[in-house]
Amino acid sequence: MPRLIGPDFIGIQTKDLDAARIFYQDIVGLTPAAKAPPGAVVFETQPIPFAVRTPIGDFDDTDRLGVGIAIWFGCDDADELHAHLRERGVPIAFPPKDGPFGRYFAFVDPFGYTITAHTVPTT
């Protein structure tokens, strides 16, 4: 029987691709990949690539994009990233706290998506 293996790529849609690239590159600190399909910016994230792209179909603006979907990014220090984003005026959904996967917090991107960042333990 065919089966899903697991997440292999995460992309979110936006009508303003340039603003999305600037936010995720210049404010959050992600590095754009050298190659991306038309209408998208793919970032060099590990282990799963992350991208922003223009809408695939009908796409109405809403204040509640991604409700019911959790997107988590690993980071080297959740407290430092929180401070960095807060200094730049990025809305914080909730401040850093300890959880089952370590220290984490969530921010809201300019398009209404809530993104959670958690400290990834180094080995």
Side-chain angles (χ1 to χ4, degrees):
M1 169 193 218
R3 63 184 177 85
L4 292 176
I5 297 170
D8 192 41
F9 187 85
I10 296 172
I12 58 176
Q13 299 181 74
T14 179
K15 288 184 178 180
D16 192 339
L17 190 60
D18 288 334
R21 180 195 51 77
I22 289 167
F23 176 77
Y24 281 100
Q25 177 180 331
D26 297 346
I27 303 297
V28 177
L30 298 180
T31 301
K35 293 182 181 180
V41 177
V42 178
F43 295 96
E44 294 178 356
T45 55
Q46 298 294 326
I48 299 170
F50 171 74
V52 291
R53 62 161 298 116
T54 54
I56 298 169
D58 290 338
F59 187 81
D60 293 325
D61 287 340
T62 178
D63 289 337
R64 300 192 46 141
L65 292 172
V67 169
I69 296 173
I71 300 175
W72 285 55
F73 278 83
C75 67
D76 55 358
D77 188 313
D79 291 303
E80 285 186 23
L81 180 58
H82 169 262
H84 170 83
L85 296 178
R86 192 168 163 206
E87 287 171 4
R88 284 154 182 80
V90 174
I92 303 299
F94 60 83
K97 59 186 174 181
D98 293 322
F101 303 109
R103 195 95 172 126
Y104 71 111
F105 75 99
F107 63 93
V108 180
D109 78 6
F111 317 101
Y113 291 101
T114 299
I115 307 293
T116 301
H118 71 103
T119 302
V120 175
T122 57
T123 53

